Short mmCIF file of all heavy atoms in Angstrom, two decimals:
data_model
loop_
_atom_site.label_atom_id
_atom_site.label_comp_id
_atom_site.label_asym_id
_atom_site.label_seq_id
_atom_site.Cartn_x
_atom_site.Cartn_y
_atom_site.Cartn_z
N GLY A 1342 54.55 6.33 40.06
CA GLY A 1342 54.31 6.44 41.55
C GLY A 1342 55.45 6.07 42.34
O GLY A 1342 55.37 5.93 43.63
N GLY A 1343 56.66 5.83 41.81
CA GLY A 1343 57.73 5.38 42.53
C GLY A 1343 59.03 6.24 42.42
O GLY A 1343 58.99 7.22 41.53
N GLU A 1344 59.93 6.08 43.25
CA GLU A 1344 61.24 6.91 43.18
C GLU A 1344 62.03 6.28 41.96
O GLU A 1344 62.00 5.09 41.66
CB GLU A 1344 62.01 6.75 44.30
CG GLU A 1344 61.37 7.39 45.64
CD GLU A 1344 61.33 8.93 45.48
OE1 GLU A 1344 62.29 9.50 45.01
OE2 GLU A 1344 60.22 9.55 45.87
N PRO A 1345 62.86 7.04 41.32
CA PRO A 1345 63.79 6.58 40.22
C PRO A 1345 64.64 5.58 40.89
O PRO A 1345 65.08 5.61 42.09
CB PRO A 1345 64.61 7.80 39.88
CG PRO A 1345 63.76 8.95 40.20
CD PRO A 1345 63.02 8.51 41.48
N PHE A 1346 64.98 4.44 40.19
CA PHE A 1346 65.79 3.40 40.65
C PHE A 1346 67.00 3.29 39.78
O PHE A 1346 66.99 3.28 38.57
CB PHE A 1346 65.01 1.99 40.45
CG PHE A 1346 65.75 0.88 41.05
CD1 PHE A 1346 65.88 0.63 42.42
CD2 PHE A 1346 66.50 -0.01 40.15
CE1 PHE A 1346 66.66 -0.44 42.93
CE2 PHE A 1346 67.19 -1.10 40.66
CZ PHE A 1346 67.30 -1.23 42.03
N ILE A 1347 68.22 3.23 40.42
CA ILE A 1347 69.52 3.31 39.76
C ILE A 1347 70.04 1.92 39.70
O ILE A 1347 70.09 1.19 40.71
CB ILE A 1347 70.54 4.17 40.54
CG1 ILE A 1347 69.94 5.70 40.48
CG2 ILE A 1347 71.82 4.10 39.86
CD1 ILE A 1347 70.83 6.67 41.21
N VAL A 1348 70.38 1.43 38.47
CA VAL A 1348 70.91 0.12 38.32
C VAL A 1348 72.41 0.15 38.17
O VAL A 1348 72.87 0.86 37.21
CB VAL A 1348 70.27 -0.56 36.93
CG1 VAL A 1348 70.85 -1.95 36.74
CG2 VAL A 1348 68.78 -0.52 37.01
N LYS A 1349 73.04 -0.49 39.10
CA LYS A 1349 74.51 -0.42 39.16
C LYS A 1349 75.24 -1.63 38.66
O LYS A 1349 76.48 -1.66 38.40
CB LYS A 1349 75.03 -0.10 40.48
CG LYS A 1349 74.63 1.27 40.96
CD LYS A 1349 75.06 1.54 42.37
CE LYS A 1349 74.60 2.94 42.93
NZ LYS A 1349 75.08 3.18 44.22
N ASN A 1350 74.46 -2.75 38.44
CA ASN A 1350 75.12 -4.00 38.05
C ASN A 1350 74.15 -4.73 37.16
O ASN A 1350 73.14 -4.19 36.61
CB ASN A 1350 75.48 -4.85 39.15
CG ASN A 1350 74.32 -5.06 40.09
OD1 ASN A 1350 73.16 -5.13 39.80
ND2 ASN A 1350 74.57 -5.17 41.52
N SER A 1351 74.42 -6.07 36.99
CA SER A 1351 73.52 -6.84 36.01
C SER A 1351 72.47 -7.54 36.85
O SER A 1351 71.97 -8.61 36.36
CB SER A 1351 74.40 -7.88 35.23
OG SER A 1351 74.96 -8.75 36.08
N LYS A 1352 72.00 -7.07 37.90
CA LYS A 1352 70.87 -7.66 38.64
C LYS A 1352 69.63 -7.85 37.77
O LYS A 1352 69.34 -6.96 36.97
CB LYS A 1352 70.54 -6.70 39.79
CG LYS A 1352 69.31 -7.13 40.60
CD LYS A 1352 68.91 -6.25 41.69
CE LYS A 1352 67.71 -6.63 42.37
NZ LYS A 1352 67.08 -5.76 43.19
N LYS A 1353 69.00 -8.88 38.03
CA LYS A 1353 67.72 -9.25 37.20
C LYS A 1353 66.51 -8.79 37.92
O LYS A 1353 66.40 -8.72 39.16
CB LYS A 1353 67.62 -10.77 37.03
CG LYS A 1353 68.79 -11.24 36.10
CD LYS A 1353 68.58 -12.69 35.81
CE LYS A 1353 69.82 -13.14 34.83
NZ LYS A 1353 69.61 -14.55 34.49
N PHE A 1354 65.58 -8.22 37.09
CA PHE A 1354 64.30 -7.69 37.63
C PHE A 1354 63.14 -8.47 36.96
O PHE A 1354 63.32 -9.12 36.03
CB PHE A 1354 64.20 -6.18 37.26
CG PHE A 1354 65.26 -5.33 37.80
CD1 PHE A 1354 66.44 -5.09 36.99
CD2 PHE A 1354 65.18 -4.80 39.11
CE1 PHE A 1354 67.43 -4.30 37.40
CE2 PHE A 1354 66.29 -4.07 39.56
CZ PHE A 1354 67.35 -3.78 38.67
N GLY A 1355 62.06 -8.44 37.71
CA GLY A 1355 60.85 -9.24 37.25
C GLY A 1355 59.71 -8.23 36.89
O GLY A 1355 59.91 -7.13 36.50
N SER A 1356 58.55 -8.73 37.32
CA SER A 1356 57.29 -8.09 36.89
C SER A 1356 57.10 -6.71 37.46
O SER A 1356 56.35 -5.94 37.08
CB SER A 1356 56.15 -9.02 37.28
OG SER A 1356 56.11 -9.20 38.59
N GLU A 1357 57.90 -6.51 38.57
CA GLU A 1357 57.78 -5.09 39.23
C GLU A 1357 58.26 -4.03 38.19
O GLU A 1357 57.92 -2.86 38.54
CB GLU A 1357 58.64 -4.98 40.46
CG GLU A 1357 60.09 -5.04 40.18
CD GLU A 1357 60.72 -6.49 40.12
OE1 GLU A 1357 60.04 -7.51 40.06
OE2 GLU A 1357 61.97 -6.55 40.17
N MET A 1358 58.86 -4.42 37.07
CA MET A 1358 59.24 -3.38 36.07
C MET A 1358 58.36 -3.15 34.96
O MET A 1358 58.64 -2.45 34.09
CB MET A 1358 60.60 -3.79 35.55
CG MET A 1358 61.70 -3.81 36.54
SD MET A 1358 61.93 -2.15 37.24
CE MET A 1358 62.48 -2.52 38.85
N ARG A 1359 57.14 -3.78 35.03
CA ARG A 1359 56.23 -3.60 33.91
C ARG A 1359 55.74 -2.16 33.88
O ARG A 1359 55.52 -1.58 35.02
CB ARG A 1359 54.93 -4.54 34.25
CG ARG A 1359 55.05 -5.94 33.89
CD ARG A 1359 53.71 -6.70 33.95
NE ARG A 1359 53.79 -8.00 34.18
CZ ARG A 1359 54.31 -9.09 33.48
NH1 ARG A 1359 55.01 -8.68 32.32
NH2 ARG A 1359 54.32 -10.23 33.74
N ASN A 1360 55.59 -1.70 32.73
CA ASN A 1360 55.06 -0.25 32.47
C ASN A 1360 55.97 0.80 32.94
O ASN A 1360 55.49 1.90 33.26
CB ASN A 1360 53.63 -0.16 33.00
CG ASN A 1360 52.61 -1.22 32.34
OD1 ASN A 1360 52.78 -1.43 31.28
ND2 ASN A 1360 51.97 -1.79 33.22
N CYS A 1361 57.24 0.52 33.17
CA CYS A 1361 58.23 1.53 33.66
C CYS A 1361 58.95 1.96 32.41
O CYS A 1361 59.04 1.41 31.40
CB CYS A 1361 59.20 0.90 34.52
SG CYS A 1361 58.47 0.26 36.08
N ALA A 1362 59.45 3.23 32.57
CA ALA A 1362 60.32 3.82 31.59
C ALA A 1362 61.78 3.64 32.15
O ALA A 1362 62.12 3.48 33.25
CB ALA A 1362 59.98 5.22 31.39
N TYR A 1363 62.85 3.65 31.19
CA TYR A 1363 64.14 3.66 31.53
C TYR A 1363 65.06 4.38 30.61
O TYR A 1363 64.70 4.61 29.41
CB TYR A 1363 64.60 2.16 31.62
CG TYR A 1363 64.58 1.48 30.35
CD1 TYR A 1363 65.76 1.37 29.46
CD2 TYR A 1363 63.43 0.96 29.73
CE1 TYR A 1363 65.79 0.75 28.35
CE2 TYR A 1363 63.39 0.26 28.51
CZ TYR A 1363 64.59 0.19 27.78
OH TYR A 1363 64.64 -0.45 26.59
N TYR A 1364 66.23 4.76 31.05
CA TYR A 1364 67.21 5.26 30.04
C TYR A 1364 68.61 4.55 30.47
O TYR A 1364 68.72 4.15 31.64
CB TYR A 1364 67.34 6.72 29.94
CG TYR A 1364 67.27 7.59 31.21
CD1 TYR A 1364 68.53 7.91 31.81
CD2 TYR A 1364 66.14 8.02 31.75
CE1 TYR A 1364 68.41 8.71 33.00
CE2 TYR A 1364 66.06 8.78 32.85
CZ TYR A 1364 67.21 9.25 33.48
OH TYR A 1364 67.23 10.01 34.61
N VAL A 1365 69.44 4.38 29.60
CA VAL A 1365 70.65 3.59 29.74
C VAL A 1365 71.93 4.35 29.44
O VAL A 1365 71.84 5.30 28.72
CB VAL A 1365 70.66 2.27 28.93
CG1 VAL A 1365 69.49 1.37 29.33
CG2 VAL A 1365 70.60 2.54 27.51
N ALA A 1366 73.00 3.91 30.08
CA ALA A 1366 74.32 4.42 29.67
C ALA A 1366 74.77 4.00 28.37
O ALA A 1366 74.16 3.04 27.79
CB ALA A 1366 75.31 4.01 30.71
N ASN A 1367 75.72 4.67 27.76
CA ASN A 1367 76.29 4.29 26.45
C ASN A 1367 76.78 2.80 26.61
O ASN A 1367 77.56 2.51 27.59
CB ASN A 1367 77.46 5.26 26.16
CG ASN A 1367 77.00 6.63 25.94
OD1 ASN A 1367 75.92 6.90 25.48
ND2 ASN A 1367 77.89 7.57 26.28
N GLY A 1368 76.46 2.06 25.63
CA GLY A 1368 76.95 0.67 25.65
C GLY A 1368 76.17 -0.33 26.46
O GLY A 1368 76.78 -1.34 26.71
N VAL A 1369 75.05 0.05 26.85
CA VAL A 1369 74.19 -0.82 27.74
C VAL A 1369 72.81 -1.09 26.96
O VAL A 1369 72.31 -0.19 26.38
CB VAL A 1369 73.87 -0.20 29.09
CG1 VAL A 1369 72.97 -1.11 29.91
CG2 VAL A 1369 75.22 -0.02 29.87
N GLU A 1370 72.39 -2.28 27.13
CA GLU A 1370 71.05 -2.56 26.55
C GLU A 1370 70.20 -3.49 27.53
O GLU A 1370 70.80 -4.20 28.29
CB GLU A 1370 71.13 -3.27 25.09
CG GLU A 1370 71.70 -4.67 25.20
CD GLU A 1370 71.90 -5.21 23.71
OE1 GLU A 1370 71.16 -4.79 22.86
OE2 GLU A 1370 72.70 -6.14 23.52
N LEU A 1371 68.91 -3.54 27.31
CA LEU A 1371 68.06 -4.23 28.13
C LEU A 1371 67.88 -5.59 27.40
O LEU A 1371 67.54 -5.69 26.29
CB LEU A 1371 66.68 -3.47 28.19
CG LEU A 1371 65.66 -4.13 29.10
CD1 LEU A 1371 66.10 -4.21 30.55
CD2 LEU A 1371 64.30 -3.29 29.10
N LYS A 1372 67.93 -6.65 28.27
CA LYS A 1372 67.88 -8.05 27.73
C LYS A 1372 66.93 -8.81 28.54
O LYS A 1372 66.59 -8.37 29.63
CB LYS A 1372 69.14 -8.83 27.71
CG LYS A 1372 70.13 -8.15 26.69
CD LYS A 1372 71.41 -9.00 26.50
CE LYS A 1372 72.25 -8.45 25.32
NZ LYS A 1372 73.44 -9.29 25.19
N ILE A 1373 66.37 -9.92 28.06
CA ILE A 1373 65.53 -10.77 28.79
C ILE A 1373 66.19 -12.07 29.11
O ILE A 1373 67.17 -12.49 28.58
CB ILE A 1373 64.27 -11.16 27.92
CG1 ILE A 1373 64.50 -11.95 26.66
CG2 ILE A 1373 63.45 -9.86 27.57
CD1 ILE A 1373 63.41 -12.41 25.90
N SER A 1374 65.55 -12.67 30.21
CA SER A 1374 66.19 -13.99 30.72
C SER A 1374 65.01 -14.78 31.34
O SER A 1374 64.07 -14.17 31.72
CB SER A 1374 67.18 -13.57 31.85
OG SER A 1374 67.70 -14.78 32.38
N THR A 1375 65.25 -16.10 31.25
CA THR A 1375 64.32 -16.97 31.93
C THR A 1375 64.82 -17.18 33.34
O THR A 1375 65.90 -16.97 33.72
CB THR A 1375 64.27 -18.35 31.17
OG1 THR A 1375 65.49 -18.87 31.13
CG2 THR A 1375 63.81 -18.09 29.80
N ARG A 1376 63.91 -17.77 34.15
CA ARG A 1376 64.15 -18.23 35.51
C ARG A 1376 64.05 -19.69 35.55
O ARG A 1376 63.17 -20.33 34.95
CB ARG A 1376 63.18 -17.48 36.54
CG ARG A 1376 63.39 -16.03 36.59
CD ARG A 1376 62.67 -15.37 37.64
NE ARG A 1376 62.75 -13.87 37.67
CZ ARG A 1376 62.28 -13.15 38.52
NH1 ARG A 1376 61.51 -13.58 39.41
NH2 ARG A 1376 62.45 -11.86 38.43
N PHE A 1377 64.98 -20.34 36.36
CA PHE A 1377 64.98 -21.76 36.46
C PHE A 1377 63.76 -22.30 37.19
O PHE A 1377 63.37 -21.83 38.23
CB PHE A 1377 66.23 -22.19 37.32
CG PHE A 1377 66.46 -23.60 37.32
CD1 PHE A 1377 66.91 -24.28 36.17
CD2 PHE A 1377 66.33 -24.40 38.54
CE1 PHE A 1377 67.16 -25.66 36.27
CE2 PHE A 1377 66.52 -25.68 38.57
CZ PHE A 1377 66.97 -26.30 37.42
N PHE A 1378 62.95 -23.15 36.43
CA PHE A 1378 61.80 -23.82 36.92
C PHE A 1378 60.78 -22.82 37.42
O PHE A 1378 60.23 -22.92 38.47
CB PHE A 1378 62.13 -24.82 38.05
CG PHE A 1378 62.36 -26.24 37.41
CD1 PHE A 1378 63.56 -26.83 37.28
CD2 PHE A 1378 61.30 -27.04 36.96
CE1 PHE A 1378 63.83 -28.10 36.70
CE2 PHE A 1378 61.42 -28.30 36.36
CZ PHE A 1378 62.64 -28.77 36.33
N SER A 1379 60.56 -21.82 36.61
CA SER A 1379 59.63 -20.79 37.00
C SER A 1379 58.82 -20.21 35.71
O SER A 1379 59.50 -20.29 34.64
CB SER A 1379 60.29 -19.63 37.65
OG SER A 1379 59.28 -18.44 37.91
N LYS A 1380 57.57 -19.85 35.91
CA LYS A 1380 56.82 -19.20 34.79
C LYS A 1380 57.19 -17.86 34.67
O LYS A 1380 56.88 -17.16 33.64
CB LYS A 1380 55.35 -19.33 35.09
CG LYS A 1380 54.81 -20.73 35.17
CD LYS A 1380 53.36 -20.69 35.50
CE LYS A 1380 52.76 -22.05 35.48
NZ LYS A 1380 51.35 -22.05 35.94
N LYS A 1381 57.78 -17.23 35.60
CA LYS A 1381 58.22 -15.77 35.66
C LYS A 1381 59.47 -15.52 34.85
O LYS A 1381 60.45 -16.26 34.97
CB LYS A 1381 58.36 -15.27 37.13
CG LYS A 1381 57.08 -15.55 37.94
CD LYS A 1381 55.96 -14.57 37.40
CE LYS A 1381 54.80 -14.73 38.31
NZ LYS A 1381 53.65 -13.95 37.81
N GLY A 1382 59.48 -14.47 34.11
CA GLY A 1382 60.65 -14.17 33.32
C GLY A 1382 61.28 -12.95 34.07
O GLY A 1382 60.85 -12.48 35.10
N SER A 1383 62.48 -12.52 33.47
CA SER A 1383 63.16 -11.41 34.12
C SER A 1383 63.87 -10.65 33.04
O SER A 1383 64.12 -11.08 31.89
CB SER A 1383 64.13 -11.86 35.15
OG SER A 1383 65.12 -12.80 34.55
N ILE A 1384 64.30 -9.38 33.38
CA ILE A 1384 65.09 -8.54 32.43
C ILE A 1384 66.30 -8.15 33.16
O ILE A 1384 66.46 -8.21 34.40
CB ILE A 1384 64.29 -7.33 32.04
CG1 ILE A 1384 63.84 -6.56 33.34
CG2 ILE A 1384 63.08 -7.60 31.27
CD1 ILE A 1384 63.43 -5.19 32.95
N TYR A 1385 67.36 -7.78 32.36
CA TYR A 1385 68.56 -7.18 33.00
C TYR A 1385 69.28 -6.26 32.03
O TYR A 1385 68.99 -6.32 30.77
CB TYR A 1385 69.52 -8.23 33.45
CG TYR A 1385 70.03 -9.15 32.40
CD1 TYR A 1385 71.33 -8.88 31.88
CD2 TYR A 1385 69.28 -10.19 31.88
CE1 TYR A 1385 71.83 -9.70 30.81
CE2 TYR A 1385 69.76 -10.97 30.74
CZ TYR A 1385 71.06 -10.77 30.33
OH TYR A 1385 71.56 -11.45 29.26
N PHE A 1386 70.06 -5.38 32.54
CA PHE A 1386 70.80 -4.42 31.77
C PHE A 1386 72.29 -4.99 31.50
O PHE A 1386 72.97 -5.12 32.38
CB PHE A 1386 70.77 -3.04 32.45
CG PHE A 1386 69.38 -2.40 32.44
CD1 PHE A 1386 68.61 -2.66 33.53
CD2 PHE A 1386 69.04 -1.67 31.41
CE1 PHE A 1386 67.36 -2.11 33.62
CE2 PHE A 1386 67.71 -1.09 31.54
CZ PHE A 1386 66.92 -1.29 32.57
#
């Protein structure tokens, strides 16, 4: 239900990315990260 989102840097994303599909450039991978004093996690490319 949304427009494609282009990732240009190592910005972190949260739960808004649940159930989304993605494709990556050569040499890029999706990783996880914790947030300081938060129950919410994040991902980044």
Side-chain angles (χ1 to χ4, degrees):
E1344 295 291 319
F1346 183 78
I1347 296 173
V1348 180
K1349 296 181 180 180
N1350 56 30
S1351 61
K1352 176 184 175 190
K1353 293 184 178 183
F1354 302 94
S1356 60
E1357 68 275 12
M1358 296 299 150
R1359 284 192 204 292
N1360 303 316
C1361 295
Y1363 66 95
Y1364 47 92
V1365 295
N1367 296 327
V1369 174
E1370 68 180 338
L1371 186 59
K1372 293 190 175 182
I1373 62 173
S1374 177
T1375 58
R1376 294 186 182 181
F1377 187 70
F1378 269 102
S1379 174
K1380 294 179 183 179
K1381 302 292 182 183
S1383 59
I1384 59 161
Y1385 64 100
F1386 292 89

